[in-house]
């Protein structure tokens, strides 16, 4: 049990922490524009938010799928063979918080742009209460499996709480049309990976190609999205922020035991 808990902690502290810099980098890059839209055009803010959901959810699914497929080799690299198979199982469960977690990252800043910071306190309180209750109930019996799996449901509770504020202060969000195409692409790509599961590298490469191709074929991002993307997403500034965060994160990861 102690070794399995350590395996979960190793993965969370290193790979998940590294990937976790992506949503903040994106959100901080786009936040000034969202703040202007909140003051001048709620319709423009709504469109920018919906596009951000599509982008971050699609990216979260991509990372989660790739991490699941490559869990065993990645866990061996990050934590060493001594932690297998627990570290790989923890990875495969933990990474699926990312699609919803990425959405939550931008959603909280939409609420801040709308001047609803106080609403966030209640939402985070609800998320924390659920996480504590779930951990107290499930970890004694299921250990690191419960700890890793609870992350997904904690993000779901937080998203529901955030959405109450978004619906009240901005507009209803058509979740099914927004999320269904990336989810379908990920499901099919996951099937490709499953067929090729004996070769993790081939499974990762071909499932990634399948996923990206399906995003395009299913029309996840239409012409209006692509036009808006050029207007609202500061690609050069986003890349610069992400690069700076990665450069700071890498030395810290090397210094960790």
């Amino acid at each position: 049990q102690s070794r399995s808990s350590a395996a979960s902690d190793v993965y969370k502290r290193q790979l998940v922490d590294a990937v976790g810099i992506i949503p903040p980098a994106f959100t901080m890059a786009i936040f000034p524009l969202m703040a202007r839209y909140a003051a001048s055009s709620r319709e423009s803010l709504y469109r920018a938010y919906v596009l951000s959901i599509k982008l971050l959810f699609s990216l979260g699914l991509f990372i989660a799928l790739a991490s699941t497929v490559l869990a065993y080799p990645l866990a061996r690299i990050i934590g060493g063979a001594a932690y297998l198979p627990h570290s790989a199982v923890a990875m495969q469960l933990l990474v699926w918080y990312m699609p919803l977690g990425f959405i939550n990252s931008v959603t909280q800043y939409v609420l801040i742009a709308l001047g609803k910071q106080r609403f966030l306190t209640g939402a985070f309180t609800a998320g924390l209460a659920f996480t504590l209750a779930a951990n107290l109930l499930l970890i004694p019996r299921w250990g690191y499996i419960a700890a890793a799996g609870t992350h997904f449901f904690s993000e779901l509770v937080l998203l529901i709480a955030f959405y109450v504020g978004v619906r009240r202060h901005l507009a209803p969000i058509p979740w099914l049309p927004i999320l269904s195409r990336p989810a379908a692409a990920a499901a099919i790509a996951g099937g490709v990976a499953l067929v090729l599961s004996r070769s993790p590298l081939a499974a990762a490469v071909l499932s990634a190609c399948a996923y990206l191709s399906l995003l395009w074929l299913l029309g996840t991002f239409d012409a209006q999205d692509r036009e808006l993307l050029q207007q609202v997403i500061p690609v050069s500034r986003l890349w610069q922020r992400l690069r700076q965060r990665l450069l700071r994160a890498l030395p810290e990861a090397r210094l960790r035991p």
Side-chain angles (χ1 to χ4, degrees), residues 21-22 41 52 56 80 99 110 129 140 157 187 190 204 206 208 225 228 244:
I21 70 176
I22 296 174
S41 174
S52 298
L56 289 173
V110 168
V157 169
L206 292 178
D225 288 332
L228 182 62
Q244 290 172 352

Side-chain angles (χ1 to χ4, degrees), residues 91-177:
M91 178 186 301
Q92 291 173 326
L93 291 172
L94 187 58
V95 291
W96 290 98
Y97 89 91
M98 290 180 187
L100 297 185
F102 284 14
I103 294 175
N104 284 336
S105 179
V106 70
T107 302
Q108 63 178 314
Y109 279 93
V110 168
L111 291 169
I112 291 172
L114 291 167
K116 305 302 176 184
Q117 291 89 332
R118 290 186 179 181
F119 184 88
L120 294 176
T121 303
F124 282 119
T125 300
L128 178 61
F130 172 84
T131 301
L132 287 174
N135 285 338
L136 288 173
L137 288 171
L138 300 176
I139 287 179
R141 182 173 182 181
W142 299 104
Y144 77 96
I145 293 178
T150 297
H151 278 70
F152 171 84
F153 294 101
S154 297
E155 294 293 346
L156 179 59
V157 169
L158 194 57
L159 179 59
I160 292 170
F162 282 164
Y163 180 56
V164 172
V166 169
R167 184 182 178 89
R168 182 181 302 167
H169 301 294
L170 182 59
I173 304 298
W175 292 106
L176 185 60

Side-chain angles (χ1 to χ4, degrees), residues 4 7-8 11 71 75-76 79-80 83-92 144:
S4 61
S8 178
Y11 176 64
R76 187 182 296 274
Y83 290 110
L84 290 171
H86 303 293
S87 55
V89 174
M91 178 186 301
Q92 291 173 326
Y144 77 96

